[in-house]
Amino acid sequence: MGWLRHLRWKLVVSHLLIILIGVVVLLPTAHFLAEIQLPQDVSLTLGSAASEAGQLDPTTAPTQPASATQIERFQIVVDQALLISAFAALAAAIVVSLFVSRRIVEPLQELSSVSRRLAQGYYRERTSIRSDDELADLSQSINQLAVALEQTEQRRLALLADVTHELRTPLTTIEGYMEGLIDGVIAPEPQIFAMIQHEAVRLKWLTEELVLLSRAEAGQLRITAQPTDLLTLVEHSAAQFQPQFAAQEIQLELRMPPELPEVLADPNRLEQILINLLSNALRYTPAGGHVTITAEPYDFFVQIAVRDSGIGIAAEHIPHIFERFYRVDKSRARKSGGTGIGLTIARHLVYAQGGEIWVESPGLGHGATFYVTLPVYAAVAAGV
Ligand code: ADP
């Protein structure tokens, strides 16, 4: 009975069963009704047949009772007719069912073969079912899944290439210096050790960022939200950057109202976000520019804005800026130490704290403003 495991034969058998049940119900019902109804009807028929033949006066002729043999013969004829019809119906059902089940099973077979290929890693596979039923919906969902898998795979490969490149650069530098030192080609001077240390620090920072990114993407970021005074936190983060801004002749300005409501946030994570936005502002603003941090309450949120007068972002890049490893200008970003991870982590961190993050830029050369919203503590506590 292995063949019964196939959907096609299950459909055929189920269609036949329906016909069989119909026959099984129909036969005894017809038989039973015939038994009650026939003696009377056959008598009438016989009576009227005799009168039509002129043997009897139709007004006065008594109804001739049908004999038992006549009724029996009639019932046999009815049963035979029903049986022949049942066989004809079964034969027709087999043909129709084979056709119908093929139309159902074939798309399913295609769907299952495509899913199997997808599971084997062939993410370019697509189904081509064109109908307007649930199978077409399923086919569309499988195709969407395939597109998502293909994109994820492409991102994974790109990630691997990026991570390898980012790790290899400082490692190669360290290796080169060490070899030079061992061979005596490079003099062991303090600035050489400082350079090696700089690369080692960069390597450490990069691995930490990657760990953070993978945790963020796995939804495993630990967030300890608490009532947080934004002004103190922003002042603290800005103070850390002040010397670097001054060194690059960029003016860093804070425009924060003193009466800001407390936000519900993880101070360490929030500082991490601010540091990312400030280091980007520093990186992408030329000397002589200015960067302003503002904050204002907005409904049940506080909206922080980091505005710079830097190189700006072209409209086509804005939707991708928060994507992992996305850099507008890869060569320039690498030169300036960017990896394209910072904003991805920042976005995860903001979302994990119930906020929003986005960027606006009037275009290349016109600066950029990064906005972060965080929920007001009092509003969350009041259950708003
Ligand atoms: P990176 O380490 O490369 O700066 P991010 O994720 O922080 O990575 O930023 C992604 C990309 O967004 C950057 O490579 C840069 O092209 C663009 N970007 C980020 N901040 C700014 C800014 N303030 N002005 C212009 N472009 C920016």
Side-chain angles (χ1 to χ4, degrees):
M1 293 292 266
W3 55 273
L4 245 185
R5 283 179 47 237
H6 294 284
L7 181 63
R8 185 170 189 186
W9 293 114
K10 278 188 184 163
L11 283 169
V12 172
V13 169
S14 66
H15 289 155
L16 293 184
L17 271 177
I18 292 168
I19 300 286
L20 269 176
I21 291 167
V23 170
V24 168
V25 173
L26 191 76
L27 270 179
T29 314
H31 205 90
F32 174 70
L33 286 177
E35 251 174 43
I36 301 172
Q37 205 65 31
L38 268 179
Q40 207 179 330
D41 284 359
V42 172
S43 310
L44 281 173
T45 315
L46 288 175
S48 62
S51 65
E52 267 168 30
Q55 296 166 1
L56 292 166
D57 175 1
T59 47
T60 54
T63 308
Q64 226 182 330
S67 72
T69 11
Q70 277 174 322
I71 292 168
E72 241 169 60
R73 275 190 54 212
F74 201 86
Q75 279 177 342
I76 289 166
V77 169
V78 169
D79 285 350
Q80 274 174 351
L82 281 172
L83 269 173
I84 292 167
S85 321
F87 278 118
L90 278 171
I94 288 174
V95 174
V96 172
S97 175
L98 281 172
F99 175 73
V100 170
S101 57
R102 215 181 92 188
R103 294 209 51 172
I104 296 174
V105 171
E106 267 179 7
L108 283 174
Q109 280 171 337
E110 187 188 329
L111 291 176
S112 101
S113 121
V114 169
S115 338
R116 228 175 294 127
R117 297 268 302 159
L118 286 173
Q120 285 164 357
Y122 298 99
Y123 300 129
R124 296 219 164 150
E125 287 288 319
R126 299 287 183 274
T127 65
S128 55
I129 294 161
R130 299 199 199 296
S131 51
D132 54 357
D133 52 14
E134 287 85 349
L135 285 175
D137 292 345
L138 185 60
S139 155
Q140 213 184 344
S141 309
I142 289 184
N143 282 345
Q144 282 168 353
L145 176 76
V147 170
L149 284 172
E150 195 183 351
Q151 285 172 352
T152 309
E153 177 64 2
Q154 277 165 359
R155 276 204 293 271
R156 192 183 69 83
L157 292 175
L159 169 100
L160 212 60
D162 278 321
V163 168
T164 318
H165 180 94
E166 297 297 336
L167 292 177
R168 199 189 286 138
T169 312
L171 275 175
T172 313
T173 316
I174 293 173
E175 195 188 18
Y177 279 120
M178 294 308 281
E179 273 175 13
L181 283 170
I182 291 166
D183 297 345
V185 184
I186 300 174
E189 284 168 6
Q191 74 262 30
I192 298 297
F193 292 119
M195 265 193 265
I196 294 174
Q197 197 209 13
H198 174 81
E199 292 302 323
V201 167
R202 180 164 156 64
L203 208 56
K204 189 171 169 241
W205 168 80
L206 195 63
T207 44
E208 278 167 2
E209 289 273 284
L210 286 170
V211 169
L212 197 59
L213 177 69
S214 69
R215 277 217 199 109
E217 298 209 328
Q220 290 171 350
L221 282 178
R222 239 173 291 132
I223 301 284
T224 322
Q226 60 189 68
T228 305
D229 175 22
L230 210 52
L231 185 61
T232 318
L233 202 126
V234 172
E235 276 176 348
H236 181 252
S237 308
Q240 288 180 55
F241 274 88
Q242 200 67 58
Q244 296 173 59
F245 274 89
Q248 290 195 27
E249 293 167 28
I250 302 167
Q251 196 192 336
L252 177 61
E253 195 188 337
L254 248 72
R255 273 197 230 144
M256 309 262 296
E259 291 302 315
L260 264 183
E262 280 185 325
V263 291
L264 183 66
D266 182 326
N268 293 326
R269 300 303 196 186
L270 186 49
E271 194 173 357
Q272 227 171 329
I273 297 163
L274 288 170
I275 287 174
N276 177 263
L277 297 183
L278 285 173
S279 55
N280 276 349
L282 182 69
R283 191 177 292 157
Y284 301 110
T285 307
H290 57 266
V291 173
T292 320
I293 309 175
T294 57
E296 56 181 337
Y298 193 79
D299 284 342
F300 303 113
F301 291 85
V302 171
Q303 183 174 293
I304 309 159
V306 179
R307 176 171 289 116
D308 66 58
S309 63
I311 61 167
I313 304 162
E316 72 260 29
H317 294 295
I318 288 191
H320 306 288
I321 280 292
F322 294 93
E323 285 173 15
R324 192 173 65 191
F325 289 108
Y326 192 86
R327 286 169 296 205
V328 172
D329 177 347
K330 297 192 184 228
S331 57
R332 192 204 59 225
R334 280 216 176 112
K335 230 175 3 174
S336 54
T339 56
I341 307 178
L343 284 177
T344 315
I345 295 175
R347 185 177 59 175
H348 280 292
L349 289 173
V350 173
Y351 284 177
Q353 293 176 82
E356 287 279 345
I357 182 167
W358 71 97
V359 63
E360 286 174 12
S361 172
L364 271 182
H366 293 96
T369 307
F370 283 84
Y371 294 94
V372 172
T373 60
L374 288 164
V376 169
Y377 170 67
V380 179
V384 179

